[in-house]
Amino acid sequence: MKKQKQTDNFLMANIQVVYMQKRLLKKEDFDELIYMNDWYDIRQFLSRFGYRLAEEVTVGAVDNLYQSQLEKLEKDMYQLNFPDDYLKVLFVKRDTFQQIKDTAYQNLDEKVLEEYGKYANSSLHPLIAEYAKYRIDEYFLNGYFRNSTHTISLKRLARGNFSSDELTELEKLPVKNGIEWLQHTAYRDVFASPFETITFEKRFDDWLIKHYHQYRYQTIGLEGIFTYILEKIFELFNLRLVLKSKIYRLSTEEMRERMRVVYG
């Protein structure tokens, strides 16, 4: 009976999410926004999708829009009729930051990794554990590529697809050899084409979106709901990026090369 009730809850939630998916911005929508220069037109565009930008356009106003919409998304998803724990993994960074926003950044990293580690070892759903492991590994790989000495911190919290020993092995390799090493791991597709270290975060995010996009139209179970939330989070990321780029007067090319992939 309990399993049947959970199945019914997922079914009803998926019906709601199918409608929400239709409201996601498509690639052509972002193309339209990128070429807009008048803030009145930009506000009108945003309002079509339920976004409201403050009259005084500042970096702070854009950040407030981003944070308020993340909060709204989180609340909307928790109103779907199944346990909250199924979705919290998608908001780990935001929720942890809200809880300890006055602490040092290093402590924030540690708290985030600890929280992802709980989900990586949970039995809630295979999709949840998989996503948590991907995010844990992303942290370590980002450290490897960002640090000039390739030092990887907090290896004791390795709960993803890499063990602490494997990260130590990677840490000893120069970047060229490190990339070759990574081409034989679960992240082979991230490093399959010519790779510049500065593009790692975008590469990884694009790979993540592509990986979960396959579940977008799955209307039974958690997968379709999970994918919608992830795509919505990246939509908000892209919106913030484009709006800030306009404030800083970046070129359209600079915007596009930083945007995460949009399937729409």
Side-chain angles (χ1 to χ4, degrees):
M1 181 64 72
K2 182 178 179 181
K3 186 174 181 180
Q4 180 61 47
K5 186 175 187 300
Q6 184 184 83
T7 301
D8 291 343
N9 289 342
F10 277 137
L11 179 60
M12 293 304 297
N14 271 290
I15 291 170
Q16 296 176 63
V17 163
V18 167
Y19 171 76
M20 295 175 186
Q21 281 175 332
K22 297 180 186 298
R23 295 279 294 169
L24 286 170
L25 273 73
K26 300 177 174 57
K27 184 179 181 299
E28 53 265 33
D29 295 320
F30 274 107
D31 288 341
E32 181 182 350
L33 175 61
I34 284 171
Y35 285 105
M36 287 181 177
N37 293 311
D38 187 282
W39 284 104
Y40 173 82
D41 293 336
I42 292 170
R43 285 195 190 86
Q44 292 296 106
F45 171 90
L46 293 174
S47 68
R48 283 163 42 196
F49 297 93
Y51 298 124
R52 184 178 181 279
L53 184 62
E55 288 298 318
E56 184 180 359
V57 182
T58 63
V59 170
V62 173
D63 284 336
N64 287 339
L65 172 65
Y66 174 76
Q67 292 297 339
S68 65
Q69 287 298 320
L70 268 184
E71 182 179 357
K72 181 180 183 300
L73 174 63
E74 197 170 2
K75 287 180 179 177
D76 288 347
M77 291 303 100
Y78 290 168
Q79 287 174 5
L80 297 177
N81 195 22
F82 56 84
D84 292 353
D85 287 347
Y86 282 101
L87 301 175
K88 285 183 178 178
V89 69
L90 288 160
F91 299 98
V92 163
K93 287 185 179 180
R94 178 188 178 276
D95 290 351
T96 304
F97 180 76
Q98 291 294 323
Q99 293 166 17
I100 59 170
K101 57 186 177 182
D102 295 327
T103 62
Y105 183 66
Q106 179 72 16
N107 290 338
L108 176 59
D109 281 348
E110 188 169 348
K111 291 290 185 183
V112 167
L113 285 172
E114 286 176 349
E115 195 65 23
Y116 276 135
K118 294 175 187 176
Y119 288 108
N121 292 302
S122 78
S123 58
L124 285 170
H125 194 286
L127 196 72
I128 293 170
E130 175 192 69
Y131 179 80
K133 289 178 180 180
Y134 288 158
R135 285 305 190 188
I136 291 170
D137 291 341
E138 177 195 21
Y139 170 82
F140 293 122
L141 292 179
N142 201 21
Y144 172 75
F145 288 117
R146 278 177 175 264
N147 195 309
S148 59
T149 60
H150 315 307
T151 303
I152 300 174
S153 64
L154 302 175
K155 288 184 292 183
R156 62 183 175 78
L157 295 173
R159 301 289 185 272
N161 295 301
F162 297 129
S163 67
S164 178
D165 288 343
E166 286 173 323
L167 291 173
T168 298
E169 180 183 348
L170 174 63
E171 197 174 26
K172 295 174 182 176
L173 299 174
V175 168
K176 181 180 178 181
N177 300 101
I179 291 172
E180 291 174 356
W181 186 88
L182 288 164
Q183 287 171 345
H184 298 282
T185 68
Y187 305 104
R188 62 182 66 86
D189 290 340
V190 179
F191 303 97
S193 57
F195 175 77
E196 294 181 20
T197 58
I198 196 172
T199 67
F200 170 70
E201 289 183 62
K202 174 175 166 52
R203 278 281 194 105
F204 195 91
D205 284 347
D206 285 350
W207 171 79
L208 205 62
I209 298 166
K210 182 178 180 181
H211 175 73
Y212 287 106
H213 185 71
Q214 63 184 307
Y215 302 122
R216 189 179 196 192
Y217 300 107
Q218 188 165 321
T219 55
I220 299 175
L222 177 67
E223 287 82 355
I225 302 165
F226 193 92
T227 298
Y228 163 74
I229 300 171
L230 190 62
E231 290 187 340
K232 184 69 175 180
I233 288 171
F234 279 116
E235 174 179 293
L236 295 173
F237 175 93
N238 282 336
L239 268 180
R240 180 176 62 170
L241 187 150
V242 170
L243 294 176
K244 282 190 174 184
S245 296
K246 290 182 179 296
I247 292 173
Y248 292 124
R249 300 186 183 279
L250 299 184
S251 67
T252 57
E253 291 75 18
E254 288 174 305
M255 291 186 211
R256 290 185 188 282
E257 70 185 13
R258 291 169 171 78
M259 281 182 63
R260 279 28 177 181
V261 66
V262 179
Y263 283 102

